[in-house]
């Protein structure tokens, strides 16, 4: 028995309204923690994926195939490399979702956890050395990331694609994007063919600069996905497809040059440097695009800068002394040897240098004459 069609329609409308308001309340209360958990999970997956891809590249070298750094693509036939790629895809998907819930300046620094994971796994699975200073560097990276999270700036609210398009059209961001694009083209077409295999910064800078476009696309697509579930016509908006094409192109370029860097250089060296460069550019992009630092206090600004400098120090310790055999067991012996090491002699400070190795010790007085 139908009592009233109007009541039925009103009831459905109320249910939809309650469902939407409930989702908004959950996102407003727990969105930060959801983004934080997704970012941590993403770091574990990405850190593990680097090891899998590196082992796939090493197996390619053992078979005598052309290295990825020399333009070879034999790794595409290796299942271990594909396992690493799929793991990285899962990590990037979790990272994608994290950017939709939390600001980029919170999500990106948590990539220090992936530095820790890749460094530890590479020492056990790839035979690469991780000494005491490297472990301290990992801990400093985590501490710096924690400080950044505590003092992270609040992102300006952007809830629709129209607002995102307005941000992207601002002159400041357009000039910044143009500089990044020109820099990337110079690196790819002029510097990479000449110095890419000798200088680790070439390939990693390309990946990091492209990362500014990929992260901006991810943020925009996160807004589009939210709008899609809110029954907004996001598929009819050209910006959605522009963001998708930008994301696909940037991620493909990042994977290509990251493979070349991993194939040529040490993993414990590649990943930390890539993290520092990528994080720096992403934070700068977020500041310019979303005006995150406008409402920050001086204490939060200083805390954010100090946290990032702590991460850089940790990364430096992680790779600068990677070839030194230093661990807790031999630390006293290393310190003792350093104390007994002969002093470096400077000719400007030496008046007379006497070799006593061939002299017989006696008690006769010795007279030395100095001529100037």
């Amino acid at each position: 028995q139908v009592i009233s069609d109007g009541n039925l329609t009103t009831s459905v409308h109320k249910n939809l309204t309650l469902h939407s308001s409930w989702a908004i309340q959950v996102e407003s209360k727990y969105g930060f923690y959801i983004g934080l958990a997704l970012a941590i999970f993403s770091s574990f997956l990405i850190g593990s994926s680097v090891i899998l891809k590196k082992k796939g590249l090493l197996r390619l070298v053992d078979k005598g195939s052309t290295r990825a750094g020399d333009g070879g693509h034999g790794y595409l036939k290796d299942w271990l490399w594909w396992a690493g790629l799929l793991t990285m895809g899962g990590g990037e998907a979790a990272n994608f979702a994290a950017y939709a819930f939390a600001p980029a300046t919170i999500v990106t620094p948590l990539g220090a956890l992936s530095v820790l994971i890749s460094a530890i796994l590479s020492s056990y699975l790839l035979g690469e050395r991780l000494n005491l200073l490297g472990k301290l560097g990992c801990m400093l990276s985590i501490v710096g990331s924690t400080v950044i999270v505590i003092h992270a700036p609040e992102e300006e609210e952007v809830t629709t694609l129209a607002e995102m398009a307005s941000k992207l059209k601002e002159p400041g961001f357009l000039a910044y994007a143009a500089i990044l694009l020109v820099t990337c083209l110079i690196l790819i077409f002029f510097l990479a063919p000449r110095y890419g295999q000798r200088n680790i910064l070439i390939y990693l800078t390309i990946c990091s600069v492209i990362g500014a476009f990929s992260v901006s696309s991810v943020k925009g697509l996160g807004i589009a996905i939210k709008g899609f579930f809110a029954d907004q016509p996001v598929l009819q908006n050209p910006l959605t497809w522009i963001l998708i094409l930008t994301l696909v192109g940037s991620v493909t370029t990042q994977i290509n040059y990251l493979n070349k860097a991993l194939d040529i250089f040490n993993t414990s060296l590649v990943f930390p440097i890539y993290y520092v460069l990528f994080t720096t550019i992403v934070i700068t992009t977020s500041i310019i695009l979303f005006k995150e630092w406008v409402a920050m206090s001086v204490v939060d600004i200083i805390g954010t800068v100090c946290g990032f400098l702590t991460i850089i120090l940790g990364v430096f310790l992680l790779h600068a002394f990677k070839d030194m055999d230093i661990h807790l067991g031999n630390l006293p012996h290393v310190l003792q040897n350093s104390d007994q090491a002969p002093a470096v002699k400077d000719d400007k400070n030496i008046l007379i240098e006497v070799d006593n190795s061939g002299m017989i010790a006696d008690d006769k007085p010795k007279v030395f004459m100095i001529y100037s």
Side-chain angles (χ1 to χ4, degrees), residues 56-57 60-61 64-78 81 197 203 255-261 263-264:
L57 294 173
L60 180 68
V61 174
S65 302
T66 305
R67 301 172 65 101
D70 297 329
H73 296 87
Y75 56 85
L76 296 175
K77 300 179 181 179
D78 191 287
W81 184 89
Q197 296 192 2
Y203 290 150
I255 291 175
N256 181 35
Y257 285 98
L258 184 59
N259 276 334
K260 292 184 178 182
D263 184 54
I264 298 174

Side-chain angles (χ1 to χ4, degrees), residues 219-234:
K219 291 293 294 183
L221 290 175
I223 295 172
I225 292 174
K226 290 181 180 179
F228 177 79
F229 287 107
D231 295 331
Q232 297 178 4
V234 295

Side-chain angles (χ1 to χ4, degrees), residues 129-319:
R129 182 176 300 173
L130 181 63
N131 55 25
L132 180 61
L133 294 178
K135 296 174 183 178
L136 291 176
C138 291
M139 295 303 298
L140 283 175
S141 298
I142 296 175
V143 171
S145 297
T146 304
V147 173
I148 288 182
V149 169
I150 293 174
H151 296 280
E154 291 295 331
E155 200 171 43
E156 186 176 337
E157 288 296 329
V158 179
T159 57
T160 64
L161 286 178
E163 295 176 358
M164 185 69 181
S166 177
K167 294 290 185 182
L168 294 174
K169 292 178 182 179
E170 292 183 356
F173 180 75
L174 290 177
Y176 174 73
I179 293 173
L180 290 182
L181 186 59
V182 171
T183 302
C184 188
L185 293 176
I186 292 174
L187 288 171
I188 291 176
F189 293 105
F190 293 98
L191 298 181
R194 300 178 182 179
Y195 310 106
Q197 296 192 2
R198 290 179 292 171
N199 192 331
I200 189 174
L201 293 177
I202 301 296
Y203 290 150
L204 296 184
T205 302
I206 294 173
C207 295
S208 302
V209 171
I210 293 295
F213 298 99
S214 63
V215 169
S216 301
S217 301
V218 165
K219 291 293 294 183
L221 290 175
I223 295 172
I225 292 174
K226 290 181 180 179
F228 177 79
F229 287 107
D231 295 331
Q232 297 178 4
V234 295
L235 296 180
Q236 286 75 28
N237 195 323
L239 181 60
T240 302
W241 302 103
I242 294 175
L243 293 174
I244 292 175
L245 293 176
T246 302
L247 180 62
V248 172
S250 59
V251 169
T252 303
T253 305
Q254 284 180 279
I255 291 175
N256 181 35
Y257 285 98
L258 184 59
N259 276 334
K260 292 184 178 182
L262 287 172
D263 184 54
I264 298 174
F265 304 101
N266 194 298
T267 304
S268 60
L269 187 65
V270 169
F271 208 71
I273 296 178
Y274 174 56
Y275 167 77
V276 171
L277 294 175
F278 180 78
T279 304
T280 302
I281 293 179
V282 168
I283 290 178
T284 304
T285 303
S286 299
I287 292 172
I288 295 175
L289 184 60
F290 296 105
K291 309 293 189 301
E292 294 176 344
W293 288 40
V294 174
M296 287 182 64
S297 64
V298 177
V299 174
D300 287 335
I301 293 176
I302 295 175
T304 302
V305 174
C306 290
F308 188 64
L309 292 177
T310 303
I311 295 176
I312 293 177
L313 177 61
V315 171
F316 174 77
L317 289 176
L318 185 61
H319 77 266

Side-chain angles (χ1 to χ4, degrees), residues 40-50 84 87-92 94 117:
I40 295 174
F41 181 63
S42 169
S43 298
F44 277 98
L45 291 180
I46 293 176
S48 303
S49 70
V50 173
T87 305
M88 177 172 283
E92 293 296 341
I117 295 298

